[in-house]
Amino acid sequence: MGIIKLSIIFMAIMATGFGTWRVGTVRANRSVDAFQDRDPMKPLQHVVASKTAKFETVDKDDAAYKNALDAHDLAGTLKLVGQEGSFRGTVSKFFEERDGDLIVFDFDPNFRTAVTAVLKNPDFPKFPDVKTLEGKEIVVSGKFVDYHGKAQIELTDPKQIKIVK
């Protein structure tokens, strides 16, 4: 008996036009009726990468290498938030947002166990193709910033990255 009443109510609602509601759409402005769950796609870094910029190199005997923290020293890097510093590690993988907003450099297969570096879209054209750094040991320098309780360095200049020889 209850199912019949619910069916009648549902059919009455559909008949009055309320059944034309659109589920899952967002109206960002009244003249456009489009689903907008993401920002517009931006060019990916490898597409706009500089053809002339180069990453510098550093020796393991160099002070820049010796003074850099290990990428797995999360406590040490967290103490440097708000200050200039550097860390070294082997680039394990990259996380690139689908809409091209940023690239995150991971220095461990489990990104939670190592500090990260972040390159944002407006700075993509300044850098050579960063994907060439995968598997290479590098030294990253810059200002440490806090991101959800973890330190990271935001990259704005290719001179912040040095490939270890």
Side-chain angles (χ1 to χ4, degrees):
M1 182 79 169
I3 294 175
I4 294 172
K5 286 182 183 179
L6 286 176
S7 297
I8 292 171
I9 292 171
F10 178 74
M11 288 173 26
I13 290 173
M14 295 300 287
T16 61
F18 286 104
T20 60
W21 287 347
R22 294 183 191 148
V23 177
T25 61
V26 176
R27 290 181 62 103
N29 97 31
R30 296 187 190 275
S31 65
V32 176
D33 187 17
F35 188 73
Q36 297 179 354
D37 71 336
R38 301 191 72 69
D39 292 336
M41 183 74 172
K42 298 175 183 82
L44 299 177
Q45 198 273 330
H46 73 275
V47 173
V48 295
S50 171
K51 306 294 183 224
T52 57
K54 301 246 187 260
F55 294 116
E56 296 178 10
T57 60
V58 65
D59 287 321
K60 288 188 176 187
D61 295 331
D62 195 314
Y65 179 85
K66 289 181 179 181
N67 295 333
L69 294 173
D70 183 82
H72 292 90
D73 185 0
L74 295 177
T77 57
L78 200 53
K79 290 177 186 175
L80 292 176
V81 167
Q83 301 174 39
E84 294 286 324
S86 61
F87 70 89
R88 67 178 183 271
T90 301
V91 180
S92 138
K93 62 182 177 173
F94 294 96
F95 169 75
E96 188 168 12
E97 284 193 342
R98 287 183 299 187
D99 60 4
D101 275 341
L102 59 88
I103 296 176
V104 179
F105 293 58
D106 290 325
F107 292 87
D108 193 275
N110 179 359
F111 68 91
R112 291 179 179 92
T113 62
V115 68
T116 57
V118 176
L119 176 60
K120 294 184 178 177
N121 185 283
D123 297 312
F124 283 3
K126 298 178 190 176
F127 287 77
D129 185 0
V130 296
K131 300 260 175 134
T132 61
L133 297 172
E134 191 165 358
K136 295 182 180 175
E137 185 177 18
I138 63 173
V139 175
V140 179
S141 60
K143 186 174 185 177
F144 283 96
V145 295
D146 182 280
Y147 182 74
H148 297 287
K150 186 178 164 194
Q152 69 180 20
I153 290 182
E154 293 181 359
L155 301 168
T156 57
D157 189 316
K159 292 179 182 175
Q160 290 177 268
I161 298 175
K162 292 182 176 32
I163 300 172
V164 179
K165 292 194 260 181

